[in-house]
Amino acid sequence: MQQFNDKMNISVKDCRLWYNDFQALKGINMEISEKEITAFIGPSGCGKSTFLKTLNRMNDLVDGCRIEGSFIIGGIDIYAKDTDVNLLRKKVGMVFQKPNPFPMSIYDNIAFAPRTFGTKSKSVLDEIVETSLRRAGIWDEVKDRLKKSALGISGGQQQRLCIARALAADPSILLMDEPTSALDPISTGKVEDLMTELKKELTIVIVTHNMQQATRIADKTAFFYLGELIEYDRTEKLFSCPSDKRTENYITGRFG
């Protein structure tokens, strides 16, 4: 079985994706550097979440989905026949738009992935739970209620819990699909601060409808439109002097 190398950068060449007869992604090429935040922006239905999910093969779960192209992460062709999809999803974690804690205790939510991968020792699990919750900036808020249901905390806390749950699997890359769209401004700020902190150790790829969010936290930004990657550059450059008229029209609010 293939092993990921230490340098967890992402290289995608000529990505094409169909849902039955509908082509959702058209010849996308992208190199994503490690330990940076890369944001995907663009109007609804332009392919940004679909593309994000190709990076940990979440589209495998969609009936009628067909994918072509080269996807290399950490030196591995992630669509090769001998690629272990479970290991891929351990290395490439995902946080969704709506917080989705499991209906179990806060502790069991975080311990879920380590247990799945064979960790049985209570002391090791205790350490993973505390470390993951600390990394997600929520330990102090929940440390006295670890045995209580994760469904009993606020939406903003639930989203940071879901980030902690993803971190407990010890990923190298974190995919985030509009992780703050359901949150209030204070919770959004906490999650953005957390992402900025985590990029010291992880590669983060985020889909966002919030262009201000991209300008605040992303090192690079990619603009998608109608299934195509229109422009991809350093965030400051893309927003201050875009090279494509469609990008300019989108970021100045002329469409989308």
Side-chain angles (χ1 to χ4, degrees):
M1 194 171 56
Q2 297 175 308
Q3 288 295 318
F4 291 92
N5 62 31
D6 292 338
K7 203 161 170 55
M8 288 294 284
N9 44 0
I10 300 168
S11 175
V12 177
K13 293 194 171 75
D14 202 24
C15 159
R16 299 165 191 271
L17 181 146
W18 290 262
Y19 293 123
N20 297 311
D21 294 335
F22 172 68
Q23 187 170 1
L25 296 173
K26 303 167 185 172
I28 290 172
N29 297 287
M30 185 179 277
E31 305 282 331
I32 297 176
S33 305
E34 62 172 359
K35 295 183 181 169
E36 287 191 339
I37 298 175
T38 301
F40 296 170
I41 62 168
S44 293
C46 66
K48 52 193 186 299
S49 290
T50 297
F51 181 63
L52 187 79
K53 289 174 189 162
T54 64
L55 303 177
N56 68 344
R57 292 185 51 173
M58 287 296 278
N59 292 310
D60 288 16
L61 309 171
V62 179
D63 284 341
C65 180
R66 183 163 59 87
I67 298 170
E68 293 177 359
S70 161
F71 298 78
I72 308 294
I73 295 180
I76 283 185
D77 173 357
I78 65 168
Y79 283 87
K81 289 202 165 37
D82 60 345
T83 295
D84 180 339
V85 178
N86 289 326
L87 178 61
L88 170 67
R89 292 190 187 138
K90 180 178 189 295
K91 284 286 191 184
V92 185
M94 184 140 196
V95 176
F96 296 91
Q97 180 172 359
K98 200 164 177 286
N100 60 342
F102 301 141
M104 53 179 73
S105 73
I106 290 169
Y107 184 99
D108 288 339
N109 264 271
I110 309 302
F112 187 86
R115 283 176 177 146
T116 303
F117 289 106
T119 302
K120 302 274 192 293
S121 158
K122 184 175 183 313
S123 62
V124 173
L125 286 170
D126 286 352
E127 188 178 332
I128 291 170
V129 169
E130 180 173 344
T131 302
S132 302
L133 289 167
R134 281 190 186 282
R135 287 174 76 196
I138 192 177
W139 170 253
D140 289 336
E141 294 166 53
V142 300
K143 64 184 179 189
D144 298 325
R145 49 195 303 188
L146 295 178
K147 298 297 179 198
K148 294 207 166 78
S149 169
L151 303 177
I153 57 178
S154 74
Q157 289 173 322
Q158 286 185 10
Q159 190 63 303
R160 282 181 288 145
L161 177 80
C162 292
I163 294 169
R165 187 177 67 198
L167 294 174
D170 196 23
S172 301
I173 296 168
L174 200 53
L175 308 178
M176 306 180 93
D177 192 1
E178 295 194 50
T180 63
S181 64
L183 305 184
D184 62 83
I186 290 172
S187 298
T188 295
K190 286 183 176 171
V191 172
E192 288 181 3
D193 290 345
L194 170 58
M195 287 190 264
T196 304
E197 193 59 32
L198 287 173
K199 79 166 181 180
K200 295 171 187 169
E201 309 158 47
L202 300 175
T203 305
I204 296 175
V205 187
I206 174 175
V207 168
T208 181
H209 265 301
N210 183 332
M211 284 187 275
Q212 285 75 29
Q213 181 168 68
T215 58
R216 283 194 298 266
I217 63 166
D219 299 286
K220 291 199 185 105
T221 297
F223 170 57
F224 287 80
Y225 185 56
L226 299 178
E228 294 183 44
L229 174 59
I230 304 299
E231 190 164 349
Y232 175 46
D233 213 327
R234 305 296 305 176
T235 299
E236 195 180 317
K237 159 110 176 34
L238 184 132
F239 280 97
S240 61
C241 71
S243 57
D244 191 290
K245 190 72 183 161
R246 289 166 294 183
T247 314
E248 186 184 332
N249 286 344
Y250 181 69
I251 63 180
T252 55
R254 290 199 187 97
F255 72 83

